[in-house]
Amino acid sequence: MIHAYSCQDGRLTKIEPETARTRLDDAVWVDLEHPSSEEIAFIEQQTGLDIPVEADLAEIESSSRLSAEPGPEGQVLT
């Protein structure tokens, strides 16, 4: 299932699921919950991103999924 959100008046607003399955022009955030292969292909086509499958992610240790970089004024950005 695709959960997509747009930004309206400085707030995240959920895009209706029917719309999110066909158009993501206004989306600023997209979550995939147990996506089908068709949903993954759609998101990849819409965003240009290569979405890994859950099996690939399961092979990565959780500590390796995180990264940290020094930001302005010594802040840590993840």
Side-chain angles (χ1 to χ4, degrees):
M1 174 173 263
I2 299 173
H3 301 282
Y5 302 84
S6 64
C7 185
Q8 295 179 358
D9 299 322
R11 298 178 148 225
L12 284 179
T13 303
K14 187 167 182 149
I15 297 172
E16 291 299 319
E18 298 78 31
T19 303
R21 284 193 289 272
T22 59
R23 181 171 93 65
L24 293 175
D25 297 341
D26 298 330
V28 296
W29 186 275
V30 177
D31 281 326
L32 297 174
E33 180 181 358
H34 306 291
S36 67
S37 57
E38 292 83 14
E39 289 173 328
I40 291 172
F42 171 72
I43 295 298
E44 289 179 333
Q45 183 267 328
Q46 290 287 302
T47 64
L49 299 173
D50 183 25
I51 308 295
V53 294
E54 285 187 60
D56 292 340
L57 292 175
E59 294 178 6
I60 303 171
E61 291 186 35
S62 58
S63 61
S64 297
R65 296 181 200 169
L66 305 174
S67 64
E69 297 179 16
E73 300 177 15
Q75 300 155 315
V76 176
L77 306 174
T78 57

